[in-house]
Amino acid sequence: MSDQTPNEASPVIQQIGMLNLRINDMMTQLNTVMKTMMEENAALKKENAELKAKSKETPKTR
């Protein structure tokens, strides 16, 4: 019976290996998305600060 265990486990181990590859791909993609979001957030913060500075320079005419 101990001879059968590695043969039975082999497909499971193979599938776990494939799952690990997919998880690694997803983590890589998640890191890419997070980096992109952080860069976009920084750009928006800079743009927002510039717009606030401009609005203080030019008094509102209401």
Side-chain angles (χ1 to χ4, degrees):
M1 200 158 180
S2 63
D3 291 340
Q4 289 178 332
T5 305
N7 291 336
E8 290 173 7
S10 180
V12 173
I13 291 170
Q14 187 178 5
Q15 292 302 315
I16 290 171
M18 290 176 68
L19 178 61
N20 281 332
L21 286 174
R22 300 298 181 269
I23 291 170
N24 286 337
D25 287 344
M26 289 175 65
M27 291 302 293
T28 299
Q29 187 60 38
L30 178 61
N31 286 336
T32 301
V33 169
M34 293 299 290
K35 182 180 176 203
T36 304
M37 287 175 66
M38 288 170 64
E39 289 170 353
E40 183 68 14
N41 192 40
L44 289 170
K45 280 184 178 180
K46 183 180 175 188
E47 183 180 353
N48 194 36
E50 290 169 356
L51 289 171
K52 282 183 179 178
K54 278 186 183 178
S55 70
K56 285 183 181 177
E57 288 174 11
T58 55
K60 294 176 184 173
T61 54
R62 287 188 180 180

